[in-house]
Amino acid sequence: MTVRAASSVLVGRHREIAALRDALSRARAGEPTTVLVGGEAGVGKTRLLEEFAGWATDGGARALVGQCLELGEAGLPFAPFAAALRAVLRADGPEVFAGYEAEFAPLLPELGRASTALAAPRAVPLSDAPRGYLFDLVAELFQRLADARPLVLIIEDLHWADRSTRDLIGFLVRAARPGRLLLACTYRTDELQRGHPLRPFLAELDRARGVERVELGRLDRDGTAAILADLLGAEPPARAVDDVHDRTQGNPFFIEELAVAGDPIGCVALPETLRDLLLARVDRLPEPAQRVLRIAAAGGSRFAHDLLAEVAALPEAELEDALRAAVAAQLVVAGREGDYEFRHALVREAVHDELLPGEHARLHARFAAAIEAQPHLVAAGRAPAEIAHHWYAAHNHPRALVAARAAACAAADRYAYAEQRRLLERALELWELVPDAAVLLGMDHLALLEQTLDAAVTAGDFSRAITLTRAGLAEVDADAAPLRAARLLDQRGRLLALLGKSDGSRELGEAYRLAAGGPTGVERVRLLADIAAHLVKIDPQQAARVAAEAATDAEALGENRALLPARIALLCHGERDLERGLAELSQAEAVARASGDATALVLARVYQSDALCELGRYAESAQAAEAGMPEARRVGISRSTGAYLLSNRAEALIALGRWDEAEAVCAEAARIDLSGVTGLHWLQLAAGLRLARAHPGADELVGRALAFLNRPYLWPNHRLPLHELAIEAGLAADDKVEAIRAARVAVADESLPQLPREGWPVLSAAARAATRVLDRDVLAAVAALAADLPARHPAARAHAAQVAALLAVGDQALPAWRTAVDAWRADGQPYPLGRALLTLAEAAAAAGERDETAAAVTEAAEIGRRLGAVPLTEAAATLARRVGLRTAGQGGAGADLLTAREREVLRLVAEGQSNSRIAGQLFISPKTASVHVSRIIAKLGVTNRVEAAALAHRLGLLDAPSPH
């Protein structure tokens, strides 16, 4: 993978950019304005001002940039002003100095050389020009430049400014105050140690009128993800984002350095250049402070004073002096509660990596012993994990094993299942290194494996979980422990389906065989209930039989709560009365809540929201899903069962037309980085949403979603929506061949007749594709399937009416589309209503019903505008133009429909250029050129390139100005 060395996007700085733009607006009005931009090294101050300067110059302002040099107080005076004025000299020539070249020579020596060649002597000798006179000349020059057009003067790295530079800046801010000048200065906040000369200077500037401070903070996780995506050229995995964000703490420079180090998910070792940069400031500390910093680095990024004192075993005064030096050097930040934190996690990492091997083990052992003896030295609840970490880092294997198991139990008590899984994995790793591991832990190796597997499944780490099932099955004795083996097989079967590797039926069948012959008891009841719940999607009849067997045992044992998962699953699959099922789900939810079964409670919410959505009760569905999410997070199952709450909510929000909210929910699901098909539902919804909005990132999401079709197995309720997405993607790209290919695959799917909810949208999409290309075979297949597919609920009935309308011909088309529109109104989804209205308008226009056509087009255009559904809005405008109507907000005929790039392509089409020639001239691929041409033809409502060119000339589209 090629990684760009620096990000080309400005991320997470909307507030700061807005502040700079407001400041320029005030400067344009003649108000003296200064902005002081502060932030730590690498946080993006220069990048921010580069972006702002580009915007300002595009808007007619002039930008000058000067850089302070790292030469200290005795450095080159006026260095940033010299750089700025040198740019003026190059652009405007010496005439801009209005005959005062000799006076400006202290700033620009080249002007002094030029002035000596002039015949006329200067009234004031160069050597006698006072500094105040020079300052006045500089201010007057800036005033002249600003009179011509607003001037932005950027002074970078003010923390390195010499005294003369600071004095000239102070003069411009407090005394001269040239009009239409915005002075923007950057400085590093982490350089301003006590006694730094910039600190009192900034305090003085703060008292002047028109001075504003803008502080740049670190980026949040989303900002880190955006930079990584830009650098890598693709969306990074969510766990990679978490890793890089945790290590860099949102510092853009550190993010870029880690990304370009060679490993797209963040290098394990720090790059040498970054390590040297981080350690340079540490090396400037006194040796006692460096020693304390090394001890602190072993304790972590955040450490308490009392814990450090315990481990360092130094006199209090010596420890405080060392910490004071580290704080003054901006390497450590003092907290309000007696703790400290490394300013950057990467600084701690660099210092820690410098520890010698013996020193490393010794320090971590001292931290572990100190926390074991006094757990209150760390934050409440953190002692088990801290102890486990330090004994492991100290290479004390027996104590690390016991501590890892104890910390895993503590993590499970907090529902921190991902952390529990990692700790148990460490225990498994240490098992072979500790001869009496079973005695120390009081359990056998298989039991530890089973605990790790359960934690991995609950945390949603399915790939690792399936590996653990393989290891467990290789170790278990099925004859001696049939229920233990059956549990492993049940988990493996479900995991195989979740990962799209197989339907898991073979494993589930063997699990049932072993469980059926196992000893009667609560464990067997729970196991049979789980097997039944997992069988529902594969063989509902067999699932019902297994559930009935479990129910008989449960009744005899008085353990009906063990049946909750099976009952909930059975209520919501196969032939069922959804209204009755919702009532029973409410009862199951109440039982789960009363018994404290959080997993069953979340599962009930998942199926409630799903059933409500199918019933067309979209607002209730969104509310039910939202209500379940806090519970899923609380018990740590947001990456497994709880993940469906996010996608169910997004589905309901899309149906309600609340698309921006739906996109935000999908983005939240993306950040969770869901495993296997758990992450497919939101991905398919987000891809469809982007298609409907013509989002630039639609193709990527569509490709990721459709890649699931290449897996060996997908549950039918996941597979059918992907067929629909494939058809819609082909139609959106005007790729009729791909659209009809996808339609043929879809109508041939043998599961379609058994799944009306998923099947009707597929038939709608297939019928649209088939009518577009007049594929009679697909139309016949759609008609045959529609004849037998039940339509019990509002959305299904609307799709059924739409399919009937798509199949209608002649005089039947208009009344059929009226029926379809009425059905979508009854269902309440605005987007399919808008598309149906558009086709109704076409049928009404063909029948000469002009008023009906106008009303339908206007409503469709308004729906498209409200949703941000660009293709729908454009199609409405195109239809309006074709039939001689003007929709609300429509300007000239066609010019506003074409983007600037499309008009460029249209000009070349009008010149008779081929797609290949167009691609060469515009530096795009021939396929992209072809897509542009197809979109132009569709937008203009013509059938070929010749008609497009003719219409463009006739309507004056080739002369239309670019839209802003």
Side-chain angles (χ1 to χ4, degrees):
M1 178 181 293
T2 301
V3 182
R4 188 166 41 244
S7 175
S8 62
V9 297
L10 182 67
V11 174
R13 303 304 187 199
H14 303 297
R15 181 182 63 82
E16 293 83 357
I17 281 286
L20 287 167
R21 291 179 176 179
D22 288 345
L24 182 56
S25 296
R26 295 195 299 274
R28 284 180 187 276
E31 181 180 341
T33 308
T34 301
V35 179
L36 304 174
V37 181
E40 65 188 8
V43 82
K45 301 180 293 296
T46 298
R47 180 74 181 85
L48 171 73
L49 285 175
E50 285 175 350
E51 187 79 12
F52 168 68
W55 174 84
T57 53
D58 288 345
R62 181 174 189 171
L64 300 175
V65 181
Q67 180 88 33
C68 298
L69 304 179
E70 191 178 5
L71 300 176
E73 284 292 293
L76 183 65
F78 304 118
F81 288 99
L85 295 179
R86 192 165 284 115
V88 173
L89 175 61
R90 285 195 299 267
D92 299 355
E95 298 80 12
V96 74
F97 295 98
Y100 291 97
E101 292 87 351
E103 285 76 2
F104 278 99
L107 298 180
L108 296 178
E110 54 266 46
L111 285 177
R113 291 192 296 271
S115 66
T116 59
L118 298 176
R122 300 304 307 156
V124 182
L126 175 62
S127 57
D128 294 334
R131 195 174 70 154
Y133 182 45
L134 175 64
F135 284 11
D136 283 334
L137 291 176
V138 170
E140 289 171 7
L141 173 60
F142 287 152
Q143 183 66 67
R144 291 196 301 274
L145 295 175
D147 287 342
R149 50 178 170 152
L151 180 63
V152 178
L153 176 60
I154 297 171
I155 306 295
E156 289 266 32
D157 294 324
L158 199 56
H159 51 278
W160 289 332
D162 59 280
R163 172 66 182 272
S164 297
T165 295
R166 294 197 300 273
D167 288 347
L168 179 49
I169 291 173
F171 175 78
L172 292 174
V173 171
R174 291 191 299 267
R177 308 174 77 81
R180 303 224 304 168
L181 168 68
L182 169 60
L183 177 61
C185 304
T186 71
Y187 63 94
R188 291 183 184 173
T189 53
D190 50 344
E191 293 279 351
L192 303 188
Q193 303 170 20
R194 182 169 298 174
H196 194 291
L198 187 61
R199 294 179 70 162
F201 178 68
L202 292 176
E204 290 176 16
L205 292 184
D206 283 337
R207 292 192 288 271
R209 185 169 66 89
V211 176
E212 175 185 1
R213 286 219 204 188
V214 172
E215 294 289 336
L216 257 65
R218 299 170 185 173
L219 298 176
D220 59 14
R221 184 193 176 283
D222 289 344
T224 299
I227 289 183
L228 286 174
D230 179 62
L231 292 171
L232 303 176
E235 289 292 330
R239 293 184 185 181
V241 176
D242 290 337
D243 172 58
V244 173
H245 186 68
D246 288 344
R247 297 178 74 190
T248 64
Q249 296 181 306
N251 184 291
F253 172 70
F254 292 165
I255 295 168
E256 292 175 353
E257 286 292 309
L258 282 185
V260 302
D263 184 346
I265 66 168
C267 54
V268 175
L270 285 176
E272 285 300 321
T273 54
L274 181 55
R275 183 189 305 280
D276 293 343
L277 179 68
L278 294 169
L279 291 176
R281 193 177 299 166
V282 177
D283 293 340
R284 292 197 290 267
L285 289 176
E287 177 53 36
Q290 291 188 42
R291 185 166 60 253
V292 168
L293 213 56
R294 288 195 295 272
I295 297 171
S301 292
R302 183 186 292 271
F303 52 92
H305 180 92
D306 291 343
L307 176 60
L308 182 62
E310 184 73 22
V311 174
L314 291 171
E316 189 66 19
E318 186 176 335
L319 177 62
E320 288 181 352
D321 286 344
L323 287 171
R324 186 174 289 109
V327 170
Q330 300 283 333
L331 291 165
V332 170
V333 180
R336 296 179 178 177
E337 300 178 0
D339 60 352
Y340 298 88
E341 183 178 9
F342 279 88
R343 180 172 287 276
H344 287 295
L346 288 183
V347 172
R348 187 212 71 85
E349 189 175 330
V351 174
H352 185 260
D353 288 349
E354 291 292 297
L355 295 176
L356 298 173
E359 184 184 24
H360 179 280
R362 185 174 64 256
L363 286 176
H364 279 287
R366 284 161 64 180
F367 270 104
I371 298 170
E372 277 186 337
Q374 303 179 69
H376 65 274
L377 291 176
V378 296
R382 287 300 303 165
E386 294 279 353
I387 294 166
H389 163 71
H390 288 299
W391 282 129
Y392 183 73
H395 307 299
N396 188 322
H397 298 147
R399 302 189 77 164
L401 173 69
V402 175
R405 173 73 167 68
C409 293
D413 290 341
R414 301 194 315 274
Y415 307 111
Y417 296 113
E419 185 177 1
Q420 179 198 15
R421 196 269 302 167
R422 287 192 293 271
L423 288 162
L424 291 174
E425 291 269 14
R426 180 181 296 171
L428 286 172
E429 171 195 334
L430 292 166
W431 184 281
E432 300 300 330
L433 302 175
V434 181
D436 55 347
V439 176
L440 287 173
L441 294 185
M443 64 195 311
D444 62 19
H445 186 264
L446 180 58
L448 184 59
L449 257 177
E450 290 168 332
Q451 284 190 1
T452 311
L453 169 60
D454 288 341
V457 170
T458 310
D461 191 352
F462 301 146
S463 295
R464 181 57 183 158
I466 207 165
T467 302
L468 292 168
T469 62
R470 187 186 305 115
L473 288 168
E475 192 170 328
V476 71
D477 183 346
D479 294 330
L483 295 183
R484 217 169 177 183
R487 170 68 65 185
L488 288 167
L489 284 164
D490 170 51
Q491 289 176 303
R492 184 171 178 81
R494 179 170 176 266
L495 289 166
L496 287 169
L498 282 170
L499 291 172
K501 295 179 179 292
S502 77
D503 62 2
S505 58
R506 184 176 67 83
E507 288 76 12
L508 291 173
E510 180 63 12
Y512 172 66
R513 186 189 69 78
L514 289 170
T520 301
V522 175
E523 183 183 356
R524 178 175 179 271
V525 171
R526 292 185 182 278
L527 182 54
L528 288 173
D530 284 345
I531 293 171
H534 299 161
L535 277 172
V536 163
K537 290 185 179 181
I538 304 167
D539 189 342
Q541 289 74 31
Q542 174 68 3
R545 289 192 294 269
V546 175
E549 184 176 342
T552 301
D553 286 358
E555 187 173 348
L557 294 168
E559 281 289 338
N560 285 320
R561 287 182 303 177
L563 295 174
L564 273 175
R567 283 181 173 166
I568 291 170
L570 287 167
L571 283 170
C572 293
H573 287 86
E575 299 290 333
R576 78 276 196 202
D577 180 346
L578 278 184
E579 293 287 359
R580 183 176 62 83
L582 276 174
E584 295 184 15
L585 277 171
S586 296
Q587 295 174 9
E589 179 192 352
V591 172
R593 192 181 299 280
S595 63
D597 190 340
T599 301
L601 176 61
V602 173
L603 188 64
R605 285 288 190 183
V606 169
Y607 284 124
Q608 278 179 341
S609 59
D610 190 58
L612 286 166
C613 192
E614 185 171 359
L615 287 168
R617 292 158 61 177
Y618 303 119
E620 293 176 69
S621 172
Q623 186 177 10
E626 185 177 19
M629 286 190 290
E631 188 69 19
R633 294 191 190 100
R634 184 183 72 81
V635 297
I637 57 174
S638 57
R639 291 191 72 245
S640 50
T641 306
Y644 292 109
L645 290 170
L646 284 173
S647 55
N648 283 358
R649 182 162 187 257
E651 184 176 16
L653 291 172
I654 290 171
L656 289 167
R658 291 156 59 181
W659 284 12
D660 291 340
E661 292 177 67
E663 282 195 343
V665 173
C666 288
E668 183 179 351
R671 287 192 292 271
I672 295 175
D673 191 24
L674 302 168
S675 297
V677 298
T678 312
L680 175 56
H681 190 203
W682 80 262
L683 183 59
Q684 167 245 319
L685 292 171
L689 201 53
R690 287 192 173 183
L691 277 180
R693 284 185 152 176
H695 189 284
D699 289 347
E700 181 200 352
L701 282 192
V702 169
R704 285 171 55 192
L706 295 184
F708 278 81
L709 289 172
N710 298 325
R711 300 196 177 197
Y713 177 78
L714 273 183
W715 282 317
N717 64 315
H718 284 132
R719 187 173 64 246
L720 288 174
L722 290 182
H723 290 321
E724 178 195 0
L725 179 64
I727 299 169
E728 294 288 358
L731 292 173
D734 200 28
D735 188 341
K736 299 181 179 65
V737 173
E738 176 56 28
I740 204 62
R741 184 206 64 78
R744 288 180 184 136
V745 172
V747 297
D749 193 308
E750 60 185 15
S751 64
L752 193 152
Q754 283 76 48
L755 296 172
R757 179 182 180 181
E758 293 81 11
W760 276 116
V762 172
L763 291 184
S764 279
R768 287 180 61 228
T771 53
R772 183 83 62 90
V773 300
L774 296 177
D775 189 304
R776 300 187 184 280
D777 292 338
V778 172
L779 287 172
V782 168
L785 287 164
D788 297 324
L789 196 64
R792 302 186 185 94
H793 307 298
R797 288 194 286 267
H799 276 296
Q802 182 164 291
V803 168
L806 286 163
L807 296 173
V809 295
D811 295 341
Q812 299 176 348
L814 182 55
W817 277 109
R818 287 170 178 161
T819 301
V821 166
D822 290 342
W824 282 120
R825 288 194 196 282
D827 176 62
Q829 296 189 57
Y831 182 60
L833 171 61
R835 299 215 295 187
L837 281 165
L838 207 56
T839 319
L840 169 64
E842 292 177 346
E849 299 288 345
R850 187 170 180 80
D851 290 344
E852 186 174 9
T853 301
V857 168
T858 301
E859 186 177 359
E862 172 57 24
I863 290 172
R865 184 199 61 76
R866 190 171 70 247
L867 297 177
V870 175
L872 176 60
T873 306
E874 291 177 347
T878 300
L879 179 58
R881 185 172 56 253
R882 285 174 56 192
V883 298
L885 301 172
R886 290 174 64 86
T887 60
Q890 184 179 338
D896 55 336
L897 293 181
L898 299 182
T899 65
R901 174 48 62 94
E902 285 169 346
R903 284 203 302 280
E904 290 177 350
V905 173
L906 181 56
R907 287 188 181 93
L908 296 175
V909 167
E911 293 173 7
Q913 304 282 6
S914 67
N915 287 349
S916 297
R917 296 289 297 277
I918 293 171
Q921 292 197 38
L922 298 182
F923 302 100
I924 58 178
S925 70
K927 183 177 181 181
T928 301
S930 175
V931 170
H932 279 310
V933 171
S934 297
R935 286 190 181 277
I936 290 167
I937 290 172
K939 287 182 179 182
L940 297 182
V942 296
T943 59
N944 55 48
R945 301 161 71 100
V946 175
E947 290 181 10
L951 182 63
H953 284 295
R954 188 167 66 251
L955 299 180
L957 300 185
L958 301 181
D959 302 322
S962 299
H964 294 288

